[in-house]
Amino acid sequence: MSGAKRGGGLLVAGTTSDAGKSVVTAGICRWLARTGVKVAPFKAQNMSLNSFVTREGAEIGRAQAMQAQAARVEPTALMNPVLLKPGSDQSSQVVLLGRPVGEMNARGFFGTAGGSAPGAEPRGGRREQLLGVVTDCLEQLRGTYDAVICEGAGSPAEINLRRTDIVNMGIARAARFPVVVVGDIDRGGVFASFFGTTALLSPEDQSLIAGYLVNKFRGDVSLLEPGMEMLRGLTGRGTYGVLPFRHGLGIDEEDGLRVSLRGTVRESVVAPPVGEDVLRVAVCAVPLMSNFTDVDALAAEPGVVVRFVDRAEELADADLVVVPGTRGTVKALAWLRERGLADALARRAADGRPVLGICGGFQVLGEHIEDEVESRAGAVDGLGLLPVRVRFEREKTLARPVGTALGEPVEGYEIHHGVAEVLGGEPFLDGCRVGSVWGTHWHGSLESDGFRRAFLREVAAAAGRRFVPAPDTSFGVLREEQLDLLGDLIEEHADTGALLRLIEEGAPAGLPFLPPGAP
């Protein structure tokens, strides 16, 4: 078998958040997998509301699940041992090895609580405990795979957090992995970002920074070459590739409102609708929205237009309104009421116009919520559009259900504290349907092609639209095509020979130190 030796690896860091680390990691995984290397992705610590459930029932970031698909391996909790799910601006749920272990504020997590001086090690050794967990997971992956491609978070030069870092240079130092720093040239200042990122690191950390990768370049690469040569002269480090800007190359986003796969479909060849009408889908952009990628499968359908909305009047021309998942069900319910969206949803239900609630969105459509766990708000009235009562339990439901609905096989995944008691209506997955209002806890159900088409036919009939689902749209095939595009990007525009040497041999010896360095 060609490729990296057993246990090799690489850390993909970035000059900033959203520099392209997730995409580059996925692309490297797909390129290596295509060459016969048994490769796995890894992100020690992830902060995201967009998560996934593995087959063993563990919750991890969706980006790592997609990177595993790029690597053509089954995702596991080892690939994302620490997941932080924000519940407010100040606190997050901590998911350790796929299971929630409690809530923690930022000060407590990063170790300045309890009288510790800023930047000091946390009392109780939390950093050492978490670093021990993530390095154990990484070592298990290294014992199974030829190569492990790690994704960093934010920037490795966040010097205020370096002492407690377990995801950037902390894990690179522990594993002795070389680091390639990705910079988004579309933002400007990429050379200064590369230089500054390196120069703010300690000598020990700098010794692992092997070089750079330019992302999202537009234009003639020859115009960039003098800058790359000057950067080599200043840092002693080369550039491992210049990746051109491409529309729709994102995998499942960690956070934000972008519909990842829609970019691939809509920005390549615009497929006309099969029927006479298009279908308009409005997604309520609720606070702490989670797993918004549920609507990717709708956006992949020719003739389906998806948009995110936050005003009642934006629902007027929608053929389907989706109330998506959220990490704050009670907060989302209050938000819907404050903005008049709750009344607009009630009017839609009364008029027989389609509404779909998923997970937290399903819960807000019910009659009553008892929440002493997530919001601790106690008894709260829901919108009353479905005969459902919800009680929040401390134990989180994490599952990969399969079943049949609308005469078609369907599968999904569940991530929720709320337990629904369905008191009526027609069965719909684990939830119910009343008229043209549907509700379910199942994420990902719309990725099942036959079920999605059957559901869209129901929506079109209820909305009075002459929309016809395309008979041959395969969401799985579209995802694979997207991942192959990422692999192509690396194979065609990066120095793959040099990357492979890094993975096999580590960072080059004798890399120069750039002052001032970190204290």
Side-chain angles (χ1 to χ4, degrees):
M1 182 182 68
S2 63
K5 66 182 180 181
R6 181 180 177 87
L10 176 72
L11 174 71
V12 178
T15 56
T16 62
S17 295
D18 204 30
K21 298 183 291 291
S22 295
V23 166
V24 169
T25 300
I28 292 174
C29 285
R30 177 49 60 101
W31 156 63
L32 287 172
R34 291 195 304 208
T35 64
V37 176
K38 189 179 180 184
V39 58
F42 179 79
K43 187 164 185 174
Q45 174 188 305
N46 199 350
M47 178 173 281
S48 178
L49 288 172
N50 204 14
S51 58
F52 182 75
V53 178
T54 67
R55 294 204 179 277
E56 76 264 33
E59 185 179 8
I60 65 172
R62 270 197 72 99
Q64 279 61 65
M66 286 296 295
Q67 289 163 355
Q69 186 176 347
R72 296 175 175 159
V73 297
E74 190 68 31
T76 74
L78 295 176
M79 297 172 184
N80 180 206
V82 181
L83 173 63
L84 307 179
K85 302 193 72 175
S88 70
D89 291 340
Q90 298 296 323
S91 67
S92 295
Q93 182 181 66
V94 180
V95 179
L96 185 63
L97 294 175
R99 305 298 302 185
V101 295
E103 296 279 335
M104 189 175 294
N105 61 33
R107 181 177 293 271
F109 185 82
F110 288 111
T112 58
S116 298
E121 289 290 336
R123 292 185 178 180
R126 184 179 301 115
R127 186 261 186 187
E128 286 83 358
Q129 293 169 9
L130 289 178
L131 184 60
V133 170
V134 300
T135 54
D136 285 348
C137 291
L138 179 56
E139 286 307 305
Q140 289 185 59
L141 292 174
R142 294 181 74 180
T144 305
Y145 293 90
D146 300 323
V148 180
I149 308 303
C150 306
E151 179 189 343
S155 162
E158 291 167 350
I159 54 178
N160 56 313
L161 302 178
R162 176 61 185 92
R163 289 181 181 272
T164 56
D165 169 49
I166 61 170
V167 66
N168 290 305
M169 301 312 299
I171 195 69
R173 286 267 293 276
R176 301 305 301 168
F177 274 2
V179 180
V180 171
V181 181
V182 178
D184 180 356
I185 199 170
D186 216 32
R187 297 184 177 198
V190 72
F191 292 123
S193 297
F194 285 146
F195 184 91
T197 296
T198 308
L200 280 176
L201 300 178
S202 68
E204 294 82 1
D205 286 351
Q206 285 193 29
S207 70
L208 296 175
I209 302 294
Y212 313 107
L213 193 63
V214 177
N215 192 28
K216 299 183 185 177
F217 181 73
R218 307 170 192 248
D220 185 349
V221 176
S222 67
L223 299 176
L224 200 64
E225 289 172 353
M228 292 189 290
E229 283 304 310
M230 285 185 275
L231 183 67
R232 179 187 288 275
L234 289 166
T235 67
R237 294 160 173 86
T239 302
Y240 285 85
V242 178
L243 307 183
F245 181 89
R246 292 284 187 270
H247 288 289
L249 283 179
I251 60 173
D252 288 358
E253 303 290 343
E254 291 183 353
D255 288 296
L257 293 184
R258 285 180 292 177
V259 183
S260 57
L261 190 60
R262 180 176 55 174
T264 299
V265 176
R266 291 288 175 261
E267 295 167 1
S268 51
V269 178
V270 178
V274 175
E276 297 179 41
D277 289 342
V278 299
L279 210 61
R280 297 170 178 85
V281 179
V283 184
C284 295
V286 297
L288 298 172
M289 181 167 50
S290 61
N291 292 80
F292 49 86
T293 46
D294 282 333
V295 299
D296 272 8
L298 296 178
E301 284 285 349
V304 175
V305 180
V306 177
R307 67 182 189 273
F308 290 90
V309 303
D310 59 7
R311 299 185 301 177
E313 54 268 31
E314 293 179 289
L315 304 189
D317 67 342
D319 302 307
L320 169 67
V321 174
V322 177
V323 187
T326 172
R327 175 84 162 92
T329 298
V330 171
K331 182 180 290 188
L333 185 56
W335 182 87
L336 291 168
R337 287 180 167 134
E338 289 165 3
R339 291 178 169 263
L341 287 159
D343 290 338
L345 289 169
R347 289 192 297 270
R348 288 185 66 89
D351 293 341
R353 303 178 67 197
V355 176
L356 171 64
I358 302 174
C359 200
F362 167 42
Q363 294 167 6
V364 305
L365 297 181
E367 297 172 350
H368 187 76
I369 296 170
E370 289 280 346
D371 182 11
E372 299 292 350
V373 176
E374 190 175 76
S375 68
R376 298 180 176 86
V380 179
D381 288 333
L383 299 186
L385 305 185
L386 290 174
V388 173
R389 299 178 71 86
V390 177
R391 176 181 292 276
F392 277 69
E393 303 288 352
R394 296 198 177 277
E395 184 71 20
K396 181 184 280 192
T397 297
L398 297 170
R400 289 280 295 270
V402 296
T404 302
L406 304 180
E408 298 286 347
V410 58
E411 59 184 81
Y413 58 99
E414 296 184 58
I415 306 170
H416 54 92
H417 284 280
V419 177
E421 181 185 6
V422 179
L423 302 173
E426 301 175 41
F428 178 71
L429 302 176
D430 70 318
C432 64
R433 170 188 182 177
V434 175
S436 292
V437 180
W438 294 267
T440 176
H441 277 126
W442 290 23
H443 294 290
S445 63
L446 294 169
E447 296 180 16
S448 297
D449 296 328
F451 169 74
R452 181 180 65 255
R453 295 183 194 118
F455 176 72
L456 289 175
R457 284 193 289 268
E458 295 261 353
V459 168
R465 294 288 185 186
R466 290 172 294 184
F467 168 84
V468 178
D472 56 354
T473 300
S474 169
F475 190 74
V477 168
L478 288 171
R479 279 214 188 279
E480 279 297 305
E481 289 175 353
Q482 185 184 39
L483 294 171
D484 275 331
L485 286 173
L486 297 181
D488 293 344
L489 200 68
I490 297 298
E491 189 170 338
E492 295 169 9
H493 299 282
D495 187 343
T496 53
L499 287 176
L500 197 58
R501 285 192 295 275
L502 281 182
I503 293 168
E504 292 176 333
E505 301 171 9
L511 292 169
F513 170 71
L514 305 186

